[in-house]
Amino acid sequence: MAVLVTTAGGCDHKVVLAPGTGGHSGGGGIDGVGGSGGSGGSGQAGGDGSPTTDIGTGGTFDPIGDGGSTVTGGGGSCPGSAGSPGSSLSFGAPVESLTHAGSFLAALGDLNGDGKPDLAVTNYESQPTAGASGGSPGAGVGTGGVGTGGSPGMPGSVSVFLSTTGVYGPPQFYSVGAHPGSIVTGDLNSDGKADLAVVDDQGVSVLFNSGSGALLAPVSFATGTGPAWVALGDLNGDGKADLAVANRGSSNGSEWSGGDVAVLLNMGGGTFIAASYLAGASPASLAMADLNGDGKADLAVASGTGVSVLLNNGNGTFGAPASYGSGTNPLSVAAGDLNGDGKLDLAVGSVGRASVLLNLGNGTFAAAVNYSYASNPYNGSGTVVIGDLNGDGRPDLAGNTLTDPCSAVVVLLNQGNGVFGAASYVPASNSSPSSVTLGDLDGDGKLDLVVPNGDGVAVVPNTTP
């Protein structure tokens, strides 16, 4: 039996349970990693410690989990699939690089200096290990055991896949704090090499690049309560990459309260000094972009029931937030010129839809226009990204659906003037996608899809003519 559970940070995982029919209960197996079965009764044996997954029609799966790339068939079917008759988009079969660690969000960057984009992904679990053999059947009456085993999944981890022109080798695992969220790449100590910054329960963890793609142990910087998202850019004009972190605040198990945005200015040598700003209720995500055309990076923060804009005073400090509605529980925000007027607009992702807020100038925005995904209320996890997917010079939107039958990336094509067409769907993985990132991974000038999921991360090549 497979069910979906939501963990801290809003990540949904597929959990595969392998129950026995008698004896004492065992623990729950995450991602199908087996372990000790129940004892007593006429129960079935526990799991054998090997990973399992649901396989999409026509797909294949690597049961060993050695990190090789596997072509997958995608899970389920979706209405209006991209690449169908009448669509201006086409994509190849997803190629899955496996982690078996509950992969969540991805970032691209050249980590080994070879000029090719490498892939880094956050995982809610640590590097998996082989589980022990399950228990043997017994005799008597009782509730069946449930297979467990392998790594308990704490702390979290980052997997790095080094590229050889769009094909990725086995993952290199690096431990970080619990509940890792978003991840960014950039040179944070001015040595010319791309480093990683990851939010986790410690704040933001920076993994400095030692050269040739190898990363040093994480250095943690406190940011506030409930870190959820990190963005990178030069906020005070000194030429060094700074960080901004959205902190969700405290959770009582059903809702979040409090929260703020932490701005960490880079003092050089990989050290930072932090300041905090209010930015709506329980910030979940943020983006850095020049929203009022003054040449300085501002902040757009998805929080509460909309998006808050904090304009940069010019020295890396920020004014009071201006709030704009964009629906309930927005979970991500991205900036780009969506209507071709030279001003950066906003796209906000929430469950089952994307909202577009056009820039009116001076950092003010029009009312949100909402675009819904498919009818299932649970099939959108809230991420949205911006990029030209069909090569017409207009930036499109991409998000991800969360549950079967789609297991897909949703695409909204730009019709011009910042207006978007009906959603189409790109089958993306055999496991429910957690998010989507865009990048040209094979050097053909087209933006491909990078889709983390419970089993690893899928790369879906853009084959649009």
Side-chain angles (χ1 to χ4, degrees):
M1 178 179 68
V3 297
L4 285 170
V5 297
T6 301
T7 59
C11 180
D12 292 79
H13 292 289
K14 184 175 289 184
V15 179
V16 182
L17 304 179
T21 57
H24 300 291
S25 297
I30 301 296
D31 290 326
V33 181
S36 57
S39 61
S42 57
Q44 297 176 343
D48 62 2
S50 62
T52 63
T53 191
D54 294 338
I55 306 299
T57 302
T60 59
F61 174 63
D62 173 8
I64 305 302
D66 60 1
S69 295
T70 303
V71 177
T72 62
S77 60
C78 295
S81 294
S84 60
S87 172
S88 61
L89 281 174
S90 62
F91 290 87
V95 178
E96 186 97 15
S97 295
L98 300 171
T99 65
H100 301 302
S103 301
F104 184 33
L105 287 160
L108 300 174
D110 183 7
L111 297 174
N112 60 355
D114 65 354
K116 304 181 183 72
D118 304 306
L119 180 59
V121 60
T122 54
N123 307 309
Y124 264 75
E125 301 165 35
S126 56
Q127 182 174 4
T129 58
S133 296
S136 59
V141 179
T143 302
V146 179
T148 62
S151 169
M154 296 293 284
S157 63
V158 170
S159 295
V160 171
F161 298 87
L162 298 180
S163 172
T164 55
T165 316
V167 178
Y168 291 92
Q172 304 169 15
F173 281 87
Y174 299 90
S175 293
V176 293
H179 310 306
S182 77
I183 182 171
V184 292
T185 64
D187 183 3
L188 292 169
N189 58 356
S190 302
D191 66 352
K193 306 181 185 74
D195 310 303
L196 297 182
V198 183
V199 289
D200 55 32
D201 66 343
Q202 304 298 311
V204 60
S205 293
V206 175
L207 292 82
F208 292 107
N209 195 330
S210 66
S212 65
L215 302 175
L216 301 176
V219 179
S220 295
F221 300 90
T223 64
T225 304
W229 203 277
V230 61
L232 182 150
D234 184 4
L235 295 174
N236 59 354
D238 65 354
K240 297 188 283 286
D242 308 305
L243 299 172
V245 175
N247 298 309
R248 299 210 72 176
S250 301
S251 173
N252 62 9
S254 61
E255 60 184 14
W256 295 89
S257 62
D260 56 18
V261 168
V263 170
L264 291 82
L265 296 180
N266 193 330
M267 306 306 292
T271 62
F272 297 85
I273 185 169
S276 61
Y277 298 87
L278 296 178
S282 302
S285 172
L286 52 75
M288 288 186 191
D290 180 7
L291 299 175
N292 61 352
D294 65 355
K296 306 176 185 75
D298 308 302
L299 300 178
V301 184
S303 61
T305 59
V307 59
S308 296
V309 173
L310 289 78
L311 297 180
N312 195 328
N313 293 324
N315 58 357
T317 65
F318 293 84
S323 298
Y324 301 88
S326 62
T328 303
N329 297 324
L331 295 175
S332 71
V333 60
D337 183 3
L338 300 177
N339 60 353
D341 66 354
K343 298 187 283 285
L344 294 180
D345 310 300
L346 298 176
V348 180
S350 54
V351 174
R353 71 180 185 184
S355 302
V356 171
L357 293 85
L358 296 180
N359 194 330
L360 300 176
N362 297 320
T364 60
F365 292 84
V369 177
N370 300 317
Y371 297 88
S372 295
Y373 302 164
S375 59
N376 184 335
Y378 300 106
N379 71 358
S381 73
T383 61
V384 64
V385 290
I386 296 174
D388 182 6
L389 292 170
N390 60 352
D392 65 356
R394 297 190 291 257
D396 308 303
L397 303 181
N400 63 288
T401 59
L402 183 60
T403 60
D404 292 335
C406 284
S407 293
V409 170
V410 59
V411 173
L412 300 164
L413 292 179
N414 194 330
Q415 306 299 300
N417 296 320
V419 176
F420 292 83
S424 58
Y425 298 86
V426 183
S429 74
N430 290 325
S431 180
S432 297
S434 303
S435 63
V436 59
T437 299
L438 305 180
D440 182 7
L441 302 183
D442 52 11
D444 65 354
K446 301 168 188 164
L447 291 178
D448 307 304
L449 308 177
V450 179
V451 188
N453 57 70
D455 297 325
V457 57
V459 172
V460 187
N462 190 335
T463 58
T464 302

